[in-house]
Amino acid sequence: VYWRNGALLSTITDPGVHLKLPAITSVEQLQVIMQTDKVTNIPCGTRGGVMVYFEKVEVVNRLHRELVFETVKNFTVNYDRLWIFDRVHHEINQLCSSRSLEQIYITEFHLLDELIMHSLQKQIALNAPGIEIISVRVTKPRVPDSLLEKYEKMEQERTSLLISEQRKRVLQKREETKKIVATIAALKEAVSYTHLTLPTKRIV
C-alpha cells in the first residue's frame, strides 16, 4: 500500500519492481497469504479468583487482497494488533471470568479453540471483513505449582477410579456369563434326564 504526502492511496500492487517518488511516496508491505500470529503470556483470572497464564495462542489468519485498502484505511497497517492480539486477550478474559479453574484447565479446555475462533470470526465479520480467521490453537494454561499438584493428583485418582470401575464391570460380566453357562448346562441335563425317565409304550 502507498501513501503520498501522508494520504493513503487506493492503489494496491503485487510483489515485484515498482517506482515511487522519493520523500513524497511511502510504502508498506502487507502479507495477503495465510499467516500465524502468536499471542503470548495472556493473563487469565478465573471465576474463583485464581490467576493463570496462557503461554501462547496461535491465530491462523489471512488478509483478503480486495479489501486491503478498506482494512488499512479503517485500522492502519497494524490492523492485527486491534483485531487479533488485543481481541484474543479480551476473549480469554471473558472465558476465564465466567469459568472455574477446573473448567479452564480440565473439563472445558478442549472447547477453548472453537469458542475463541467463533467469537473472533463473528466480531471480525461485522467490523473488519477483510480479515479471515482460519483457525485458533490454545496451549495449556500455566497454573500455580500447588494447584497443579492438586489437579495431577485428582487426575490420577480419577484414572484409578475408572480402571477400578472397568475391572468391576469385567468381573460382573464374567459372573453373568458363568451363571448363563450354568443355567444352560442345567437345562441340558434336565432335558436328558426327562428323556431317560419317560415311560416306553408296550406293544400287545
Side-chain angles (χ1 to χ4, degrees), residues 165-176:
E165 289 177 351
Q166 183 66 26
R167 185 178 293 120
K168 185 178 178 182
R169 284 196 292 268
V170 170
L171 291 174
Q172 286 176 343
K173 285 291 182 184
R174 286 179 181 173
E175 289 300 318
E176 289 174 5

Side-chain angles (χ1 to χ4, degrees), residues 11-45:
T11 304
I12 306 294
T13 56
D14 292 322
V17 178
H18 304 283
L19 301 176
K20 71 169 186 172
L21 299 173
I24 296 176
T25 305
S26 58
V27 180
E28 284 282 355
Q29 297 183 8
L30 294 173
Q31 189 170 319
V32 292
I33 60 174
M34 280 197 300
Q35 60 181 336
T36 301
D37 287 323
K38 298 177 182 179
V39 190
T40 58
N41 202 32
I42 308 166
C44 161

Side-chain angles (χ1 to χ4, degrees), residues 49-66:
V50 179
M51 182 63 71
V52 298
Y53 290 85
F54 286 87
E55 293 190 357
K56 183 172 61 177
V57 175
E58 295 181 344
V59 182
V60 181
N61 63 93
R62 176 168 50 207
L63 178 62
H64 289 293
R65 187 188 185 285
E66 64 274 13

Side-chain angles (χ1 to χ4, degrees), residues 8-193:
L8 178 65
L9 303 179
S10 60
T11 304
I12 306 294
T13 56
D14 292 322
V17 178
H18 304 283
L19 301 176
K20 71 169 186 172
L21 299 173
I24 296 176
T25 305
S26 58
V27 180
E28 284 282 355
Q29 297 183 8
L30 294 173
Q31 189 170 319
V32 292
I33 60 174
M34 280 197 300
Q35 60 181 336
T36 301
D37 287 323
K38 298 177 182 179
V39 190
T40 58
N41 202 32
I42 308 166
C44 161
T46 66
R47 186 176 60 199
V50 179
M51 182 63 71
V52 298
Y53 290 85
F54 286 87
E55 293 190 357
K56 183 172 61 177
V57 175
E58 295 181 344
V59 182
V60 181
N61 63 93
R62 176 168 50 207
L63 178 62
H64 289 293
R65 187 188 185 285
E66 64 274 13
L67 292 173
V68 166
F69 173 74
E70 289 297 327
T71 303
V72 173
K73 183 175 112 174
N74 293 326
F75 311 111
T76 77
V77 293
N78 297 315
Y79 65 89
D80 54 351
R81 170 59 57 188
L82 173 65
W83 290 110
I84 295 177
F85 289 87
D86 291 349
R87 195 75 206 175
V88 165
H89 274 266
H90 174 75
E91 294 302 332
I92 289 288
N93 286 326
Q94 289 288 101
L95 288 171
C96 287
S97 63
S98 61
R99 287 168 172 78
S100 67
L101 177 58
E102 184 174 358
Q103 287 174 307
I104 290 294
Y105 191 69
I106 299 176
T107 58
E108 295 187 17
F109 175 75
H110 65 289
L111 303 175
L112 298 184
D113 292 358
E114 291 292 321
L115 290 172
I116 294 172
M117 184 178 72
H118 289 154
S119 184
L120 287 176
Q121 288 173 336
K122 181 179 178 181
Q123 291 299 321
I124 287 174
L126 288 173
N127 300 287
I131 308 166
E132 179 187 2
I133 302 298
I134 297 168
S135 68
V136 171
R137 293 187 295 270
V138 181
T139 60
K140 200 80 170 175
R142 188 173 71 251
V143 304
D145 290 342
S146 58
L147 292 174
L148 183 60
E149 290 174 4
K150 172 188 172 184
Y151 281 109
E152 285 177 345
K153 185 178 179 181
M154 285 173 57
E155 193 63 26
Q156 289 172 356
E157 290 174 353
R158 184 177 292 143
T159 302
S160 298
L161 181 61
L162 288 173
I163 293 172
S164 176
E165 289 177 351
Q166 183 66 26
R167 185 178 293 120
K168 185 178 178 182
R169 284 196 292 268
V170 170
L171 291 174
Q172 286 176 343
K173 285 291 182 184
R174 286 179 181 173
E175 289 300 318
E176 289 174 5
T177 303
K178 286 180 180 178
K179 287 180 182 179
I180 292 171
V181 170
T183 301
I184 292 172
L187 287 172
K188 285 183 177 178
E189 187 176 344
V191 169
S192 298
Y193 180 76

